Amino acid sequence: MTPPDALTVAAIQAQPVPGDLAGNAGTAARLVHRAADEGAGLVVLPELFLPAYHPPTLRADPAGTDLAAVDGGRIDDPRLDPLREAARDRRAVVVVGAAIRYADTRRTCASVVVDRSGTARAGYDKQHLWGPDERELFVPGGRGATLTVDGWRLGLGVCYDGCFPEHARAAAGDRAHGYLCPSGYVTGSAHRRDLYYAARALDNTMYVAFANSVGGDRPWRFNGGAALYDPEGRVLGRGADDGEAVIVGVFDPAELVRVRSTHRMLADRRAELGGERALLIG
């Protein structure tokens, strides 16, 4: 199931303002326009970008920081209007981090997907919550999700999900050609930031888009490095550790076929190797 055509993708790094959901949606809209000017049809923004990844604010003002999901995940909040309009006007699909409140009162760390019609939906709830703040604020998601764009199947993850090889492998098992990870890596984590997502790309011979925030006050000061990786884990483009950046690259179906025909880990993997093991005593 090879995609028919190339897909131009943008991974974003930028600094949101804690608690300013409307303002951050406006920033996201501006960045979607900038990415579309460079040809991007798919734009990935950081984890919790809409409210900003700032636990004190998320804890103190859930009403101001959350988006309500209704009718199967649709989000009609008028604060998203600039972003919805940008997606519609530029014919771009947008994946952006948010805090979502469901009708059953669950609160999740999620990726919102805004399609080319400007419709916003809760697309994926983060399955692996990192640290005591996230575990206090959110409940983990219960299932994976695959986004389809122009024939490309793209697994959705959020930050810490990408630290688990089996998460991206589950996407590959659902025939994903790529993996999209809005994230929030803080200062001091650059080594892991640059290793995990390159590894997920090579592990599964698929493209990866990694978005990250920048700036903020410690301990929530983020370190950028937004990047796109090819199916061998090579960097197609990466941002600096600070400053706003729009990293644009092409997901190429011919390269996907070439890599998967050469590096056959997905086809050659023996799933039964996780079973009983021999014990040797030295």
Side-chain angles (χ1 to χ4, degrees):
M1 294 184 63
T2 304
D5 298 299
L7 178 66
T8 303
V9 179
I12 303 293
Q13 63 184 53
Q15 182 174 353
V17 177
D20 186 6
L21 200 151
N24 295 332
T27 298
R30 174 178 60 78
L31 292 164
V32 167
H33 281 290
R34 180 175 164 188
D37 286 344
E38 297 186 41
L42 171 64
V43 182
V44 184
L45 290 115
E47 178 181 21
L48 290 171
F49 186 80
L50 290 173
Y53 193 118
H54 189 256
T57 302
L58 292 164
R59 188 177 295 112
D61 186 19
T65 55
D66 292 2
L67 294 170
V70 298
D71 297 338
R74 195 182 77 253
I75 299 169
D76 293 329
D77 195 307
R79 293 174 293 179
L80 293 188
D81 285 352
L83 182 55
R84 285 200 294 251
E85 290 168 7
R88 183 183 65 244
D89 294 348
R90 303 309 300 268
R91 303 293 297 163
V93 178
V94 180
V95 178
V96 58
I100 299 294
R101 181 78 64 174
Y102 291 94
D104 61 7
T105 74
R106 284 179 302 131
R107 190 190 198 193
T108 67
C109 177
S111 285
V112 169
V113 176
V114 186
D115 67 23
R116 288 167 174 155
S117 73
T119 300
R121 292 185 175 86
Y124 168 74
D125 297 322
K126 185 176 184 179
Q127 292 179 285
H128 299 92
L129 300 178
W130 182 84
D133 287 318
E134 288 189 18
R135 295 188 190 103
E136 175 195 345
L137 291 166
F138 305 114
V139 297
R143 64 179 180 180
T146 299
L147 171 67
T148 61
V149 180
D150 297 342
W152 286 82
R153 295 178 64 83
L154 303 160
L156 298 181
V158 176
C159 198
Y160 194 37
D161 287 327
C163 303
F164 296 83
E166 58 270 30
H167 191 271
R169 178 54 55 86
D174 192 40
R175 298 167 292 146
H177 310 110
Y179 186 56
L180 312 179
C181 265
S183 297
Y185 275 71
V186 296
T187 300
S189 64
H191 167 69
R192 293 181 291 108
R193 176 198 71 188
D194 296 341
L195 179 61
Y196 282 133
Y197 302 93
R200 299 297 82 82
L202 179 57
D203 286 345
N204 300 288
T205 54
M206 63 186 181
Y207 285 94
V208 170
F210 166 82
N212 194 25
S213 291
V214 290
D217 298 323
R218 292 179 183 273
W220 301 287
R221 182 170 181 81
F222 298 92
N223 66 357
L228 300 172
Y229 297 94
D230 77 5
E232 287 189 298
R234 295 190 178 96
V235 177
L236 294 174
R238 176 182 286 140
D241 287 353
D242 53 25
E244 185 176 284
V246 176
I247 309 302
V248 177
V250 175
F251 287 12
D252 180 0
E255 179 65 4
L256 186 71
V257 169
R258 184 195 71 78
V259 173
R260 288 186 167 181
S261 65
T262 303
H263 303 291
R264 296 180 50 81
M265 289 86 78
L266 294 178
D268 294 342
R269 176 176 176 264
R270 294 178 57 189
E272 76 276 11
L273 294 184
E276 183 179 352
R277 300 177 64 87
L279 175 64
L280 304 178
I281 300 175

